[in-house]
């Protein structure tokens, strides 16, 4: 019989146990070992049954057990100690307060760092108990919040609460991926409903076409010190279609996705305002858009600033408000290919804005201009969310050094006339939250070496001096730890494999072979990630006979654990999963290679520590960062990867191997995959496996152990999310906060008017003549260390010298006279205007490099409030008839 209504009955905790509720509702437990150990002590079997979720555990605990614990003095002492530790964590001064001059809870901040930052993302992977993530973007967002909490950064997370989350994955008998969408009840999750003072649920609303409205409640997950606001459209005031807007992560068609992203961006800003009003939290000075999905947040802030002062706004017109919004906005792109970006039909977007939809005071044409692909190769009728994100943010970044370069090339059309390296997109390489991903056994080994508090600091804050202490850990301890973690993984794999086969329809009598799957003394390789084609799940299967030889080698065998989900609409990805599963089902090798369905955080936390080698073989350069290898490295796992993402940046032979790539454009796809698979087999057979099995004194693989040690000491401090968040604060958030404070209403109006004036006048700006005054330059040669005196005549039209900067651009040149590693130096006005209205600029050019050397000159718009010279995408360059131009040969 099926219930007609569902609700949650919460336990009433005895008074001495009330702190358990606060501990369960703050997700710090998900990365704090002592808190998890305390909950496990409440009911060890119940903890296992609850999947390590304190909210579920307390919801199922018996009154008898709770009464028993309320009288257990030893347990109450532990509870008091853990509760006091949480209170100190939440209210003590941390890195941010120490470095910003912030007064902590007094409500004031120093001159450099922002009072608060709002961080928007479509998904957040904080813990398996709150399944609101699909892959790397969400896990990164969750790690960003946790690291910000550890550092004391006043962040507010903003996302959506999906009632079905992302799908759960299982396999059919023939290995085809199947999706399941279990319903999530927020009352059974570690979240609380934000309420108005009189007790009613706080909500935000959006206007939709046809006079409809989209309402959403705001759920709050407390991630340490950081509140995460999640909008939920499954509320009674909505019609059936609107209730389903937050049904599934990345589900539905174009309009469904558009409504999700409008709710995330526009509704998210309104949720932040509501939260700050109700809690007294400081209002954000900086808004961080994590990928283009949340880009509409900028439009809502433009609407706010356009409101009259009596309504809380500044009465700004669209262009002035845009400048004010850009000043305090940071945009992070995670996508290395245009196909990975959300794009909507122009008419669909237009229909949802303006007088008949949302933001009635914001001109629809202005909205559309922000997202249109108005550059060569762009599609005229598509609205590009990443393009809008870049146009709405004064600061933008990719997520690794290589990905920054890829992004500059991919979006270079937005800044015509500039070389890709000058496109104003920087990079902050991702990091991972070590307290979440480091196995307890690894943490305890560190604590024995340098103490618990110093180990916690090393994992959350960083500091190479703390990581250097790994060098003093005995070889035997490291090897025993690695063997213990491998054995734990073997047992985990067998349990999950048995459950998977039962779901596939196998009976107990068929599954005796599972007890022999994997061996805790065999070299173990892990591969787990989403399954788009570019990640090449099945590259290892290119030569199946060769792979079988590696798996079944008589003295140096390997074993492989694979996991991953294909998007529900990606049949190509599902075929890759099926191909891998069918190979792993082969009785000849099924004890050496396994595919585990339903990859998620809980599985990952066992998989990373238990593997000896982490494999990553994407198509270079399509991996934006690839943080799974970072998590593995923090547990002493070595990386075997294509030089892509973060591995391209930090690879050293001391702690892993680089898979050679066949990047040449002349190489077809099959040939390329054959070559790279062959290189992978070669590495495993001749370098990786021998190093693992080559045993020295005491039966230890000493060269392998030294690589593990180097991985921890060298990579450890680099791959931390704490390092990443510190970089965001210092390189992006602090400059954005300063720009935001400088951009008051008058400054915004002045800058918008200046930009409009410059754009109108720019067609008349030109480089008229360039000459170098030295004879040697005229002859085409010059001596190293010499200085050329340049004289340039320019036309500025209606502009004045204060509106522009005239630069010399110099560097080595190639056979096509393209300047590489260019350096710029400003030229100064030397007189003018002459009778023709031309200005003369002069300045020195130092010849500081030997070999073919060239220079040119250019004119750029210049204003004190511009964050980058390429900001407007305007540049004036010499023509062939201008003058001497480039091509000085040095000797």
């Amino acid at each position: 019989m099926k219930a007609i209504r569902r609700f949650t009955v919460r336990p009433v905790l005895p008074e001495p146990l009330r702190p358990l509720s606060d501990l369960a509702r703050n997700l710090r437990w998900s990365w704090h070992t002592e808190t998890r150990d305390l909950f496990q002590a409440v009911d060890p079997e119940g903890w296992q049954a609850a999947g390590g979720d304190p909210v579920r555990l307390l919801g199922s605990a018996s009154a008898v057990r709770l009464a028993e614990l309320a009288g257990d003095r030893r347990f109450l002492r532990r509870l008091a100690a853990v509760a006091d530790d949480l209170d100190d964590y939440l209210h003590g001064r941390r890195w941010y307060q120490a470095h910003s001059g912030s007064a902590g809870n007094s409500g004031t901040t120093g001159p450099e760092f922002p009072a608060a930052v709002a961080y928007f993302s479509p998904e957040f992977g904080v813990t398996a108990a709150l399944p609101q993530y699909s892959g790397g973007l969400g896990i990164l967002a969750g790690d960003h919040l946790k690291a910000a909490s550890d550092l004391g950064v006043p962040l507010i997370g903003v996302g959506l609460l999906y009632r079905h989350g992302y799908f759960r994955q299982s396999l059919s008998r023939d290995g085809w991926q199947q999706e399941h969408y279990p319903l999530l009840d927020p009352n059974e999750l570690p979240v609380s409903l934000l309420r108005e003072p009189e007790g009613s649920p706080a909500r935000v609303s959006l206007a939709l076409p046809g006079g409809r409205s989209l309402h959403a409640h705001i759920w709050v997950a407390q991630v340490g010190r950081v509140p995460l606001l999640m909008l939920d459209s499954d509320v009674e005031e909505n019609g059936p279609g609107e209730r389903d807007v937050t049904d599934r992560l990345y589900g539905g068609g174009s309009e469904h996705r558009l409504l999700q992203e409008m709710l995330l961006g526009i509704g998210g800003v309104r949720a932040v305002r509501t939260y700050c009003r109700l809690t007294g939290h400081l209002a954000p000075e900086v808004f961080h858009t994590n990928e283009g999905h949340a880009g509409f947040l900028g439009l809502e802030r433009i609407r706010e600033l356009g409101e009259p002062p009596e309504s809380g706004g500044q009465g700004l017109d669209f262009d002035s408000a845009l400048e004010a919004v850009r000043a305090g906005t940071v945009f992070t792109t995670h996508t290395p290919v245009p196909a990975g970006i959300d794009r909507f039909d122009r008419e669909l977007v237009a229909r949802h804005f303006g007088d008949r939809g949302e933001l009635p005071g914001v001109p629809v044409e202005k909205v559309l201009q922000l997202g249109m692909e108005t550059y060569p190769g762009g599609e005229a009728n598509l609205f590009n969310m990443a393009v809008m994100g870049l146009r709405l943010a004064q600061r933008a970044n990719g997520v690794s050094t290589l990905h920054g370069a890829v992004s500059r090339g991919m979006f270079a059309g937005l800044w015509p006339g500039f070389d890709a390296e000058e496109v104003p997109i920087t990079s902050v390489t991702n990091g991972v939250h070590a307290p979440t991903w480091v196995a307890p056994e690894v943490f305890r080994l560190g604590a024995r070496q340098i103490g618990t508090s110093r180990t916690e600091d090393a994992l959350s804050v960083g500091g190479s001096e703390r990581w250097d202490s790994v060098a003093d850990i005995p070889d035997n301890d490291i090897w025993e730890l690695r063997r213990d973690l491998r054995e734990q993984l073997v047992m985990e794999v067998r349990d999950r494999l048995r459950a998977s086969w039962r779901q596939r329809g196998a009976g107990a009598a068929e599954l005796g072979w599972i007890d022999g799957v994997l061996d805790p003394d065999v070299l173990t390789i892990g591969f787990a990630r989403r399954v788009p084609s570019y990640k090449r799940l099945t590259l290892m299967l290119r030569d199946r006979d060769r792979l079988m030889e590696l798996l079944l080698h008589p003295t140096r065998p390997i074993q492989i654990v694979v996991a991953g989900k294909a998007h529900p609409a990606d049949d190509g990805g599902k075929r890759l999963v099926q191909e891998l599963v069918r190979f792993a089902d082969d009785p000849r090798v099924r004890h050496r290679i396994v595919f585990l369905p339903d990859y998620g955080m809980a599985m990952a936390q066992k998989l990373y520590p238990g593997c000896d080698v982490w494999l990553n073989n994407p198509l270079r350069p399509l991996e934006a960062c690839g943080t799974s290898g970072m998590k593995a490295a923090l547990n002493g796992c070595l990386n075997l990867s294509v030089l892509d993402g973060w591995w391209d940046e930090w690879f050293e032979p001391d702690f892993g191997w680089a898979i050679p790539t066949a990047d040449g454009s002349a190489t077809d796809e099959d040939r390329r995959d054959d070559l790279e698979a062959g290189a992978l087999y070669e590495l495993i057979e001749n370098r990786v496996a021998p190093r693992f099995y080559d045993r020295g004194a005491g039966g230890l693989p000493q060269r392998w152990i030294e690589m593990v040690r180097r991985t921890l000491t060298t990579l450890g401090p680099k791959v931390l999310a704490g390092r990443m968040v510190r970089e965001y604060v210092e390189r992006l958030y602090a400059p954005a906060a300063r720009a935001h404070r400088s951009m008051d209403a008058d400054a915004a109006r002045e800058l918008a008017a200046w930009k409009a004036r410059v754009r109108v006048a720019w067609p008349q700006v030109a480089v008229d003549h360039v000459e170098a005054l030295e004879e040697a330059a005229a002859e085409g040669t010059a001596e190293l260390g010499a200085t050329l005196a340049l004289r340039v005549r320019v036309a500025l039209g209606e502009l004045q010298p204060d509106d522009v900067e005239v630069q010399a651009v110099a560097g080595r040149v190639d056979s096509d006279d393209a300047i590489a590693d260019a350096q710029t130096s400003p030229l100064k006005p030397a007189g003018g205007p002459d009778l023709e209205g031309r200005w003369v600029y002069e300045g020195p050019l130092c010849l500081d490099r030997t070999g073919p050397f060239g220079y040119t000159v250019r004119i750029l718009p210049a204003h004190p409030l511009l964050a980058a010279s390429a900001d407007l995408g305007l540049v004036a360059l010499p023509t062939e008839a201008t003058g001497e131009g480039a091509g000085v040969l040095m000797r």
Side-chain angles (χ1 to χ4, degrees):
M1 189 176 297
K2 192 171 184 179
I4 62 171
R5 189 178 178 193
R6 174 191 177 99
F7 53 91
T8 300
V9 180
R10 296 189 182 277
V12 178
L13 294 174
E15 187 62 34
L17 300 183
R18 289 293 173 87
L20 282 175
S21 179
D22 293 333
L23 291 169
R25 290 287 166 182
N26 192 306
L27 294 176
R28 188 203 182 205
W29 61 257
S30 68
W31 72 89
H32 190 248
T33 303
E34 287 81 357
T35 307
R36 292 198 304 274
D37 289 346
L38 178 74
F39 280 114
Q40 186 172 14
V42 169
D43 180 357
E45 291 185 4
W47 177 251
Q48 187 75 18
D53 178 354
V55 173
R56 290 176 58 193
L57 170 73
L58 296 180
S60 62
S62 69
V64 173
R65 177 57 178 162
L66 294 176
E68 179 184 328
L69 289 172
D72 185 336
R73 292 184 179 180
R74 184 176 179 184
F75 181 83
L76 294 178
R77 285 196 297 271
R78 287 182 66 188
L79 174 58
V82 173
D84 287 346
D85 183 77
L86 177 62
D87 184 72
D88 178 68
Y89 175 85
L90 295 178
H91 301 106
R93 286 173 60 85
R94 306 191 74 80
W95 173 85
Y96 193 86
Q97 289 71 34
H99 287 76
S100 69
S102 169
N105 297 319
S106 71
T108 61
T109 59
E112 291 297 316
F113 289 0
V117 177
Y119 179 88
F120 287 63
S121 179
E123 52 176 302
F124 286 90
V126 179
T127 168
L130 188 62
Q132 300 292 307
Y133 61 92
S134 69
L137 177 67
I139 299 300
L140 181 278
D143 282 7
H144 195 108
L145 297 195
K146 288 182 274 191
S149 174
D150 291 341
L151 295 170
V153 180
L155 208 70
I156 302 174
V158 185
L160 301 179
L161 182 69
Y162 305 95
R163 286 301 181 104
H164 294 279
Y166 201 49
F167 70 91
R168 302 293 302 273
Q169 178 196 44
S170 63
L171 300 173
S172 68
R173 185 73 188 210
D174 66 351
W176 188 255
Q177 173 180 292
Q178 298 177 317
E179 297 93 28
H180 314 273
Y181 291 89
L183 179 65
L184 301 174
D185 182 352
N187 294 295
E188 297 175 358
L189 299 174
V191 296
S192 302
L193 190 61
L194 185 66
R195 296 184 179 275
E196 297 289 347
E198 81 283 358
S200 65
R203 75 177 192 182
V204 299
S205 299
L206 273 67
L208 301 182
R212 297 173 296 136
S213 294
L214 171 60
H215 306 288
H217 288 165
I218 305 166
W219 295 89
V220 183
Q222 197 62 41
V223 186
R225 300 165 71 115
V226 173
L228 169 57
L229 315 182
M230 293 181 289
L231 298 172
D232 173 19
S233 70
D234 188 12
V235 298
E236 292 183 1
E237 296 92 334
N238 283 331
E242 288 72 47
R243 292 189 75 154
D244 286 343
V245 166
T246 56
D247 57 351
R248 298 176 180 179
L249 178 57
Y250 303 140
S254 290
E255 184 165 16
H256 189 83
R257 290 286 292 275
L258 177 65
L259 290 177
Q260 284 190 339
E261 298 185 7
M262 288 177 64
L263 182 60
L264 173 61
I266 298 169
V269 173
R270 295 172 185 174
V272 169
R273 304 305 187 204
T274 301
Y275 179 81
C276 292
R277 170 176 60 84
L278 293 173
T279 66
H281 195 289
L282 293 174
E285 293 184 286
V286 174
F287 286 75
H288 185 172
T289 309
N290 190 41
E291 196 47 87
H293 309 282
F296 289 124
L297 73 87
L299 297 181
E300 169 64 5
R301 294 173 60 215
I302 288 173
R303 183 203 64 79
E304 290 179 330
L305 292 169
E307 293 288 312
E310 58 269 21
S311 300
Q314 296 182 15
L316 296 178
D317 63 275
F318 182 93
D319 291 340
S320 300
L322 173 61
E323 297 305 329
V325 166
R326 292 185 74 248
T329 302
V330 174
F331 175 72
T332 297
T333 175
H334 295 258
T335 308
V337 289
I341 297 170
D342 275 348
R343 300 154 89 199
F344 298 106
D345 182 80
R346 181 183 188 276
E347 294 304 318
L348 176 65
V349 176
R351 190 165 65 247
H352 283 79
F353 286 93
D355 294 338
R356 293 178 297 172
E358 246 317 321
L359 311 181
V362 179
V364 174
E365 285 306 313
K366 293 282 191 179
V367 172
L368 295 176
Q369 286 171 11
L370 289 171
M372 302 312 291
E373 298 179 354
T374 52
Y375 46 80
E379 296 191 36
N381 290 317
L382 290 181
F383 186 92
N384 185 309
M385 294 297 289
V387 166
M388 178 177 67
L390 289 165
R391 286 176 173 154
L392 282 169
Q394 201 175 66
R395 288 163 182 82
N397 69 285
V399 291
S400 68
T401 298
L402 179 58
H403 179 238
V406 170
S407 299
R408 288 189 288 276
M410 188 164 71
F411 295 110
L414 293 174
W415 291 272
F418 290 87
D419 293 339
E421 58 266 23
E422 291 188 286
V423 167
I425 301 175
T426 184
S427 62
V428 175
T429 302
N430 284 344
V432 298
H433 186 246
T436 296
W437 301 108
V438 168
E441 294 81 2
V442 177
F443 179 89
R444 285 194 287 268
L445 181 60
R448 287 205 308 269
Q449 188 69 22
I450 61 173
T452 299
S453 62
R454 292 188 70 207
T455 302
E456 288 178 346
D457 286 345
L459 295 180
S460 59
V461 180
S464 59
E465 68 283 353
R466 298 182 181 95
W467 289 85
D468 288 343
S469 61
V470 173
D472 300 325
I473 299 176
D475 287 359
N476 195 61
D477 288 354
I478 292 177
W479 188 241
E480 285 185 3
L481 171 68
R482 295 296 317 144
R483 207 271 180 190
D484 179 38
L485 294 171
R486 199 181 310 115
E487 186 170 38
Q488 289 185 40
L489 175 61
V490 168
M491 303 310 295
E492 178 83 5
V493 165
R494 291 174 182 173
D495 288 344
R496 288 181 177 271
L497 196 61
R498 188 173 286 107
S500 173
W501 271 100
R502 284 175 177 162
Q503 281 186 315
R504 295 173 71 181
E510 300 177 67
L511 301 180
W513 61 274
I514 289 179
D515 291 333
V517 166
L518 304 190
D519 183 329
D521 292 310
V522 166
L523 171 62
T524 304
I525 298 174
F527 182 102
R529 50 193 35 87
R530 291 184 301 111
V531 190
S533 60
Y534 77 87
K535 290 181 183 283
R536 297 192 294 185
L537 171 73
T538 57
L539 184 69
M540 65 182 75
L541 302 183
R542 293 295 291 187
D543 185 339
R544 299 186 180 208
D545 291 338
R546 184 87 181 271
L547 178 58
M548 280 191 175
E549 291 173 2
L550 294 173
L551 294 168
L552 304 175
H553 195 283
T555 58
R556 298 195 302 268
I558 67 168
Q559 55 195 15
I560 306 175
V561 182
V562 184
K565 293 179 176 180
H567 188 279
D570 181 9
D571 282 348
K574 292 181 185 180
R575 282 191 287 273
L576 295 178
V577 170
Q578 185 179 49
E579 184 181 354
L580 194 290
V581 170
R582 287 178 169 175
F583 180 83
D585 285 350
D586 188 327
R588 294 174 294 174
V589 295
R590 64 187 181 185
H591 64 299
R592 285 282 188 258
I593 182 169
V594 297
F595 180 89
L596 301 180
D598 207 29
Y599 179 50
M601 289 186 73
M603 181 193 297
Q605 286 170 322
K606 292 288 187 182
L607 187 55
Y608 297 134
C611 291
D612 300 295
V613 173
W614 196 256
L615 174 62
N616 190 26
N617 47 230
L619 284 174
R620 189 180 189 275
L622 302 185
E623 184 78 272
C625 186
T627 55
S628 61
M630 295 179 172
K631 297 160 194 163
L634 285 171
N635 289 281
C637 178
L638 309 183
N639 275 269
L640 171 60
S641 175
V642 165
L643 287 175
D644 202 0
W646 74 276
W647 192 236
D648 178 76
E649 194 170 333
W650 289 331
F651 161 72
E652 290 181 20
D654 288 344
F655 41 77
W657 298 270
I659 302 171
T661 54
D663 295 333
S665 59
T667 306
D668 65 59
E669 291 184 9
D670 281 342
R671 176 66 174 157
R672 175 203 62 210
D673 286 354
D674 285 341
L675 290 172
E676 294 184 14
L680 172 61
Y681 301 138
E682 189 76 15
L683 276 171
I684 293 173
E685 182 174 16
N686 296 322
R687 296 180 61 186
V688 180
R691 184 155 297 191
F692 181 86
Y693 288 106
D694 182 15
R695 305 299 162 92
L700 299 178
Q702 290 168 328
R703 294 176 67 203
W704 187 277
I705 292 170
E706 185 54 33
M707 291 182 73
V708 171
R709 202 188 306 277
R710 288 281 295 163
T711 293
L712 293 171
T713 57
T714 305
L715 278 182
K718 293 181 179 180
V719 302
L720 297 181
R723 183 271 313 154
M724 171 189 71
V725 171
R726 289 199 310 272
E727 285 193 36
Y728 272 108
V729 168
E730 293 168 347
R731 294 176 48 204
L732 294 171
Y733 295 167
R738 291 194 295 272
H740 163 79
R741 293 165 191 165
S742 299
M743 197 68 69
D744 59 20
D746 290 340
R749 291 188 181 98
E750 190 276 327
L751 180 59
W754 176 85
K755 283 189 173 182
R757 181 168 59 86
V758 168
R759 289 189 177 104
V760 170
W762 202 256
Q764 283 73 51
V765 175
V767 178
D768 236 22
H769 182 73
V770 181
E771 61 179 314
L773 303 183
E774 276 72 13
E775 288 186 13
E779 295 172 1
T781 62
E783 298 289 342
L784 177 65
T787 298
L788 297 183
L790 297 183
R791 177 179 295 162
V792 182
R793 190 172 66 172
V794 302
L796 299 182
E798 297 298 318
L799 301 182
Q800 296 296 312
D802 287 347
D803 295 320
V804 302
E805 180 171 289
V806 180
Q807 296 178 341
V809 184
R812 289 194 178 90
V813 292
D814 61 18
S815 57
D816 296 321
D817 286 341
I819 299 174
D821 299 323
Q823 294 183 353
T824 62
S825 55
L827 304 177
K828 300 298 183 184
D834 59 20
L835 294 177
E836 296 178 341
R838 302 306 197 254
W839 297 79
V840 174
Y841 280 74
E842 293 181 348
L845 176 64
C846 180
L847 307 182
D848 59 356
R849 279 167 283 183
T850 57
F853 187 93
Y855 70 86
T856 187
V857 297
R858 66 183 180 181
I859 309 172
L860 303 171
H863 191 283
L865 293 178
L866 291 184
S869 58
D871 198 334
L872 277 73
L874 299 176
V875 60
L877 297 168
T879 64
E880 290 185 5
T882 296
E884 295 179 6
V888 178
L889 177 66
M890 295 182 59
R891 63 176 184 268

